[in-house]
Amino acid sequence: MAENILEVKDLVKHYPLTQGILFKKQVGAVKAVDGISFELKKGETLGIVGESGCGKSTLAKVLMNLERATSGQVLFKGEDISQLSGAALKAVRRNIQMVFQDPYTSLNPRMTVGDIIGEPFEIHPEVAPKGDRRKAVQDLLDVVGLNPEYINRYPHQFSGGQRQRIGIARGLALKPEIIICDEPVSALDVSVQAQVINLLEQLQGDFGLSYMFIAHDLSIVRHISDRVGVMYLGKMVEIGSDEEIYENATHPYTQALLSAVPVPDPTARESRDRIVLAGDIPSPANPPSGCRFRTRCWKAEDRCAEEIPLLAVPSVLEGPAAHESACHFPEVREQAAA
Amino acid sequence: MPDLTDKKTAGEIPAQRTETGAAPKQEKARSLGSDAWHDLRRKPIFVISALLILLLIVIAIAPGLFTSVDPRAGDLRLHYLTKPNYSHFFEADWFGYDLQGRSIYARVVYGARASVVVGITVTLGVTILGGITGMLAGYFGGWIDTIISRVTDIFFGIPLLLGALVILNAFTSRTIWSVVFALVALGWTQMTRVMRGSVITVKQADFVTAAKALGAGTTRILWKHILPNAIAPVIVVATIALGGYIATEATLSFLGIGLHHARRRGARRPRPEAPLREEVTTPMTTVIENDQKSDRLDVGTPLLEVKDLHVEFHTRDGIAKAVNGVNYSVAAGETLAVLGESGSGKSVTAQTIMGILDMPPGKVTQGEILYRGQDMLKMSNEDRRKIRGRKIAMIFQDALSALNPVLSVGYQLGEMFRVHQGASKAEAKAKAIELMDRVRIPAAKQRVNDYPHQFSGGMRQRIMIAMALSLQPDLIIADEPTTALDVTVQAQVMDLLAELQAEYNMGLILITHDLGVVADVADKIAVMYAGRIVETAPVHDLYANPAHPYTKGLLRSIPRLDQKGQDLYAIKGLPPNLLKVPAGCAFNPRCDVATDLCRTEIPALHHVTDKDGKELTGRRSACHLWKETLHG
């Protein structure tokens, strides 16, 4: 197995809720990310799925050091980067870059494509000497499948899919080792999504990138990911290889999420055994005690309200079902239709 | 005198205002580069305004060119001058004379300098000072924001004129610069507020996050990313303020506190623009007074038929043909899914059916929309209104913006019964609770007085459904009803919609881009591309055996298990620009099998037959090569 390029240990991000205008008093906290641990291996794609409000975007921001972690560690090649600042942080940023969801807001409308993709070189002049930058930008445009002559155009002259390619080119400019993709295709037209997914996969092969791929489209996540983590209300509830998660999910939330995904096959309509969850995701400011999923879980018992289930390989399960799952009663669900 | 630069900024300002004012979308605001300058030069209105401003500046610099009369020399007799002295009519007479017999024209000409200098320098001063403080407050927030905001609060409490009087009084010798100082000192806080608000919006944009992620320093972020995008509203306010400062200076002079030598009539103050406000949208489910029970049709009879519908949009860049001959029908109890990407015309068709298309720029150029056999496009507005909401209701993607945020949900649900059926407050509330129960909102009784923002996305969409159902329509048009929702909630809402549809035997037009949702609920499907229907089919047939390369491509690009580790099939190219739809079949540049015929001739919506030549019911394909696509 390849080495761990990124290790996240018990990462916590709480946003304080305050009262008072001049003298602020903390009255609580939004527990956006509440104790998450996982690792990302070199050259691997780790998919992160979960519904809005589960903390997956906050996780991305904390990993990018755009938000400071409340506690926990983010180890990049063994070095904790979560508390870095100044020049040390700037140096680390070269290694971890990000691709954003919305190609319309992620590019500065007042800058040309050349300026946008060239900005990383201005910030980190050591990466490309001044004379070579234009050439470097054109090479990047070529790499992401855009005409290098577009260098002087503005973002509004491009379609959504093309803009996303510009965003990817900017992310690649510093030759990072890790790219965090936050819903990179969900704002794109259906017929263009596949193009961008293929591009990301091709770049991964060419440059040996490791991806953390955050998305809510489970079929795309399955296609691109080697391993998948499922988040619910600030916690990782289950993590494993794509087969372990998609075929042998042992956490009830994962099972419900998978069963809810509309399958593009009308013949499966009758045979589908869908778990329709009751209610909405609770507020992360006041999460349920014990297991956070218990308020919507059909298996919940008294124990679930009292004891927080730990993310661990359940001892009672074997084979592909034996992967990390944070449930007191883990079991593989018998699926009616394959 | 930096006249040239002044002229340029002054000339550009009104232009920029129209740019941002006419098109609030970022799309337009950003075309302010060199091409916008090129555009402007060809606009007569811009050239005329620029020349006028230039003239004013020339007057300010060299008043002697325009009059030879001393504005301070008065001849009391002139005040009573009854007949103009034509020898220097345009030099002195034509504006008349004041009480001291001084030429008003000469005084206006000589006064221009003070107005221009005060107006421009004060505006520049407050913009720079306010811009910097606003940027700091908005970007850094926290205690910096607290301090700057409290200081601006204090300044807002000082009346401008009184404050200026006090400050000017402190000067022993008053010059034009003491007036400038007083007005800048009292006026900068206005710009601080505007800039602060603008910066707070811009700093949340992803491109700022992206710059931070690259390691950009604060100066770079503020200068390159925040400032160019946040400055627009400040420029708008500055243009309005410019006139205000000129008027204030004139007022001070009139009060004898400003510049005595430059007294002149006050400049006109431009009308302030209406404050920017979130537009409050009311629910589209319009309600009609008398609620007769509608006669229900059996399954299979078309409830709504769209025939050869054409819709165009007249835009600045040309005519966008959004809908080009769309035909579809939906029967009671039936679900028609209209599948397409953005720009395919699926939503425009729906808006045309509802009669909520913005016209202009939209225009129906051809076609019929038959509701129970009657053409709605030929109906009077009044008749049409009776159908809208009551017979055909619509559910939108974004429930939050479709509900009025300042009214409680129960009030909005009960409004129809209260206003249109004369129900009492209590009755309307009871009805609202009943509706909320029916769409399974838990604890309806307790939540009836809550406001839209207090509900989750899924619950708000239920409220929209309740609203659409309240008048028991025959047909519901749901435009991407679950796109904004999470998958687990999406399932609940779709189930609810399907269940209610069956219960009331309603027709449902489901507009979506999601192949999964379609497979789950549709009876039949119409696939749209570039304003045309490219394929129609019963749901099972379409997924099993598509007859159009576009449909085929969409289905093939869905990630499948056995493709793991391989490239996904991807339709090449991009969706077409509606201003430049390719000749022939609009899909031909992206199609794998296109021939020369496809590049020249628009394919008809062919009937589709099986291998033995038997017609397949309900199946059509707008492809010259449907046979090869279907059977090959």
Side-chain angles (χ1 to χ4, degrees):
Chain A
M1 210 54 182
E3 53 176 315
N4 287 342
I5 193 159
L6 195 74
E7 255 178 281
V8 174
K9 286 187 180 164
D10 207 22
L11 194 66
V12 175
K13 176 64 191 175
H14 288 184
Y15 293 96
L17 291 169
T18 55
Q19 257 178 11
I21 297 162
L22 212 51
F23 302 101
K24 295 194 165 91
K25 193 177 79 181
Q26 186 169 341
V27 291
V30 173
K31 292 161 184 158
V33 172
D34 206 14
I36 279 186
S37 305
F38 62 87
E39 65 277 346
L40 178 67
K41 297 187 187 344
K42 195 165 169 52
E44 159 188 79
T45 301
L46 173 67
I48 301 282
V49 296
E51 298 175 277
S52 54
C54 74
K56 56 192 197 294
S57 289
T58 306
L59 175 64
K61 283 193 182 133
V62 175
L63 295 184
M64 289 299 301
N65 246 310
L66 293 164
E67 300 272 3
R68 188 127 290 203
T70 308
S71 68
Q73 286 183 312
V74 179
L75 304 173
F76 173 74
K77 292 185 174 171
E79 180 203 3
D80 186 8
I81 58 168
S82 66
Q83 302 301 326
L84 293 182
S85 61
L89 176 60
K90 194 173 160 185
V92 160
R93 289 204 186 284
R94 279 183 54 183
N95 300 309
I96 310 179
Q97 276 302 309
M98 189 162 178
V99 173
F100 294 82
Q101 170 174 8
D102 186 346
Y104 291 86
T105 63
S106 62
L107 306 178
N108 186 340
R110 309 264 178 205
M111 283 164 78
T112 63
V113 168
D115 289 340
I116 290 170
I117 302 176
E119 187 171 32
F121 301 139
E122 282 184 35
I123 297 167
H124 301 270
E126 69 280 6
V127 178
K130 213 157 192 172
D132 298 347
R133 283 185 199 159
R134 198 180 157 83
K135 176 81 177 48
V137 169
Q138 286 181 324
D139 287 348
L140 281 166
L141 280 170
D142 193 43
V143 162
V144 297
L146 289 173
N147 187 342
E149 286 165 22
Y150 290 167
I151 191 162
N152 289 322
R153 296 199 181 181
Y154 284 87
H156 74 268
Q157 293 169 292
F158 295 91
S159 70
Q162 290 174 316
R163 287 179 192 217
Q164 199 57 300
R165 288 172 192 265
I166 297 169
I168 292 170
R170 173 178 59 193
L172 284 175
L174 298 175
K175 304 193 178 76
E177 296 182 62
I178 300 172
I179 292 189
I180 296 175
C181 305
D182 190 0
E183 304 266 9
V185 297
S186 56
L188 305 180
D189 270 323
V190 200
S191 71
V192 178
Q193 291 187 356
Q195 296 175 358
V196 173
I197 291 293
N198 286 345
L199 173 67
L200 286 170
E201 289 203 295
Q202 179 209 326
L203 295 173
Q204 180 166 42
D206 292 353
F207 299 102
L209 299 165
S210 307
Y211 286 144
M212 197 169 106
F213 193 93
I214 298 170
H216 68 269
D217 186 325
L218 292 160
S219 57
I220 287 180
V221 170
R222 176 165 200 180
H223 178 81
I224 200 168
S225 305
D226 301 304
R227 286 190 307 133
V228 178
V230 183
M231 282 182 72
Y232 185 78
L233 216 55
K235 293 267 190 200
M236 192 75 86
V237 295
E238 189 164 3
I239 188 166
S241 72
D242 67 299
E243 197 198 338
E244 286 166 348
I245 298 294
Y246 283 78
E247 302 294 335
N248 298 283
T250 60
H251 195 285
Y253 176 66
T254 312
Q255 292 164 358
L257 193 66
L258 287 170
S259 80
V261 178
V263 180
D265 177 9
T267 54
R269 207 190 282 187
E270 279 74 35
S271 57
R272 274 179 69 189
D273 185 8
R274 192 152 73 190
I275 307 168
V276 174
L277 288 179
D280 288 311
I281 195 164
S283 160
N286 187 19
S289 65
C291 172
R292 296 192 170 188
F293 183 60
R294 70 176 166 84
T295 51
R296 300 171 77 191
C297 184
W298 62 97
K299 286 196 209 165
E301 291 180 17
D302 290 347
R303 184 182 167 198
C304 302
E306 288 150 15
E307 198 183 318
I308 298 174
L310 297 174
L311 184 66
V313 180
S315 52
V316 291
L317 298 172
E318 285 175 357
H323 57 270
E324 287 177 279
S325 173
C327 179
H328 291 308
F329 309 104
E331 58 181 341
V332 175
R333 179 172 171 247
E334 293 305 319
Q335 272 167 318
Chain B
M1 200 85 192
D3 53 317
L4 275 174
T5 39
D6 282 351
K7 186 209 77 182
K8 208 176 153 209
T9 25
E12 262 177 354
I13 286 161
Q16 218 151 10
R17 268 173 73 188
T18 43
E19 277 283 348
T20 41
K25 278 190 189 167
Q26 264 189 322
E27 209 76 11
K28 296 285 172 194
R30 69 177 62 119
S31 59
L32 277 167
S34 54
D35 29 325
W37 177 243
H38 185 76
D39 267 7
L40 284 176
R41 276 195 316 198
R42 285 183 300 180
K43 284 193 180 151
I45 187 119
F46 169 72
V47 177
I48 294 168
S49 319
L51 287 177
L52 276 175
I53 289 167
L54 185 68
L55 178 70
L56 271 179
I57 289 168
V58 174
I59 293 176
I61 297 165
L65 291 177
F66 296 86
T67 179
S68 58
V69 177
D70 184 348
R72 274 173 273 191
D75 181 344
L76 277 177
R77 284 168 304 174
L78 286 172
H79 179 63
Y80 302 100
L81 189 78
T82 46
K83 202 173 64 163
N85 177 353
Y86 289 103
S87 65
H88 54 281
F89 178 72
F90 286 113
E91 289 234 2
D93 286 2
W94 62 317
F95 281 24
Y97 292 87
D98 66 7
L99 277 171
Q100 277 117 46
R102 298 176 296 194
S103 161
I104 293 175
Y105 171 68
R107 295 178 64 71
V108 167
V109 167
Y110 276 89
R113 179 179 292 178
S115 295
V116 169
V117 170
V118 170
I120 289 173
T121 48
V122 171
T123 308
L124 279 178
V126 296
T127 307
I128 292 167
L129 196 58
I132 291 171
T133 49
M135 201 147 82
L136 295 177
Y139 185 73
F140 290 105
W143 62 269
I144 296 180
D145 184 26
T146 310
I147 291 171
I148 294 177
S149 293
R150 291 306 149 260
V151 171
T152 56
D153 285 348
I154 293 166
F155 272 86
F156 273 118
I158 305 172
L160 180 62
L161 269 181
L162 293 183
L165 291 179
V166 171
I167 293 176
L168 286 173
N169 219 22
F171 283 94
T172 41
S173 70
R174 286 197 289 273
T175 64
I176 201 163
W177 302 112
S178 43
V179 176
V180 168
F181 175 82
L183 292 182
V184 170
L186 293 165
W188 63 279
T189 52
Q190 185 189 7
M191 293 299 179
T192 308
R193 283 292 171 92
V194 176
M195 191 67 174
R196 176 178 174 271
S198 184
V199 166
I200 286 174
T201 317
V202 174
K203 80 167 178 183
Q204 288 159 355
D206 283 345
F207 60 80
V208 176
T209 315
K212 281 186 204 162
L214 287 168
T218 310
T219 325
R220 164 176 284 272
I221 289 173
L222 284 174
W223 186 248
K224 281 229 157 179
H225 295 281
I226 304 263
L227 184 65
N229 290 290
I231 197 84
V234 174
I235 290 173
V236 173
V237 174
T239 54
I240 299 167
L242 177 77
Y245 292 129
I246 291 174
T248 312
E249 181 272 321
T251 312
L252 288 171
S253 298
F254 180 76
L255 292 173
I257 281 290
L259 305 160
H260 298 286
H261 69 275
R263 195 201 320 167
R264 44 172 278 293
R265 298 274 147 121
R268 246 183 318 141
R269 185 199 176 97
R271 235 179 308 145
E273 285 180 0
L276 288 173
R277 227 178 334 163
E278 283 272 314
E279 204 168 300
V280 176
T281 34
T282 43
M284 286 313 304
T285 44
T286 330
V287 189
I288 323 300
E289 276 113 74
N290 45 353
D291 179 28
Q292 309 152 343
K293 271 272 166 280
S294 53
D295 31 338
R296 303 275 168 197
L297 289 172
D298 295 332
V299 180
T301 325
L303 197 58
L304 183 92
E305 259 188 290
V306 177
K307 283 187 173 173
D308 197 29
L309 187 71
H310 289 252
V311 182
E312 293 176 355
F313 284 92
H314 291 253
T315 70
R316 223 177 52 172
D317 305 318
I319 295 172
K321 296 193 169 175
V323 178
N324 304 303
V326 161
N327 293 285
Y328 60 62
S329 70
V330 62
E334 189 178 51
T335 300
L336 165 73
V338 181
L339 187 76
E341 303 176 82
S342 54
S344 64
K346 59 188 197 301
S347 291
V348 174
T349 312
Q351 286 168 7
T352 315
I353 296 170
M354 281 307 284
I356 55 167
L357 185 70
D358 285 333
M359 297 197 273
K363 196 178 168 213
V364 179
T365 51
Q366 204 179 316
E368 291 177 332
I369 298 172
L370 304 177
Y371 170 72
R372 292 175 187 269
Q374 277 183 297
D375 187 359
M376 294 207 291
L377 293 173
K378 293 204 179 79
M379 282 181 191
S380 67
N381 279 341
E382 187 59 23
D383 286 346
R384 197 140 187 220
R385 209 167 62 85
K386 283 185 181 159
I387 293 176
R388 185 161 60 215
R390 182 153 165 274
K391 303 290 190 187
I392 307 178
M394 193 156 176
I395 299 168
F396 296 89
Q397 174 179 347
D398 185 1
L400 187 57
S401 67
L403 290 167
N404 189 330
V406 299
L407 297 175
S408 77
V409 157
Y411 185 91
Q412 294 184 61
L413 280 168
E415 194 173 23
M416 340 204 145
F417 304 106
R418 200 172 45 250
V419 178
H420 300 289
Q421 295 180 354
S424 71
K425 257 190 173 169
E427 282 166 2
K429 199 169 172 182
K431 285 260 195 187
I433 294 170
E434 194 190 310
L435 276 173
M436 286 168 75
D437 265 334
R438 198 180 302 161
V439 293
R440 282 187 248 118
I441 292 175
K445 235 182 205 146
Q446 285 84 54
R447 302 214 66 184
V448 68
N449 291 324
D450 284 359
Y451 290 85
H453 71 270
Q454 292 169 295
F455 290 85
S456 68
M459 288 297 148
R460 278 197 292 264
Q461 200 53 279
R462 283 163 192 267
I463 290 162
M464 281 302 292
I465 292 173
M467 221 168 231
L469 285 176
S470 61
L471 295 163
Q472 304 188 1
D474 299 334
L475 176 68
I476 289 199
I477 301 175
D479 191 353
E480 305 265 8
T482 58
T483 308
L485 305 177
D486 282 318
V487 276
T488 54
V489 181
Q490 196 174 352
Q492 299 168 4
V493 171
M494 277 323 295
D495 279 0
L496 174 74
L497 201 56
E499 191 189 304
L500 293 167
Q501 182 202 8
E503 193 182 330
Y504 295 109
N505 195 30
M506 294 180 295
L508 175 66
I509 298 178
L510 178 72
I511 296 163
T512 181
H513 67 272
D514 189 325
L515 288 156
V517 171
V518 173
D520 255 2
V521 296
D523 296 316
K524 59 182 188 181
I525 299 179
V527 183
M528 288 188 71
Y529 189 81
R532 285 174 201 279
I533 290 187
V534 294
E535 180 168 8
T536 62
V539 63
H540 290 277
D541 299 356
L542 185 107
Y543 281 83
N545 212 354
H548 194 284
Y550 174 61
T551 321
K552 204 170 183 173
L554 282 183
L555 290 171
R556 272 180 74 187
S557 65
I558 298 168
R560 281 202 326 268
L561 270 185
D562 50 357
Q563 285 179 319
K564 179 97 185 160
Q566 302 166 22
D567 267 3
L568 284 176
Y569 173 80
I571 300 177
K572 62 191 176 194
L574 302 166
N577 176 349
L578 290 177
L579 296 168
K580 287 180 278 186
V581 178
C585 171
F587 186 62
N588 84 66
R590 306 180 69 189
C591 185
D592 290 336
V593 294
T595 62
D596 285 343
L597 180 68
C598 304
R599 285 182 268 274
T600 49
E601 198 177 307
I602 298 177
L605 197 56
H606 299 283
H607 284 281
V608 172
T609 57
D610 65 11
K611 277 181 179 150
D612 309 323
K614 215 175 100 222
E615 195 171 303
L616 296 163
T617 40
R619 295 211 64 174
R620 299 281 201 98
S621 166
C623 177
H624 293 303
L625 304 163
W626 63 266
K627 248 179 223 161
E628 291 81 346
T629 311
L630 188 63
H631 305 308

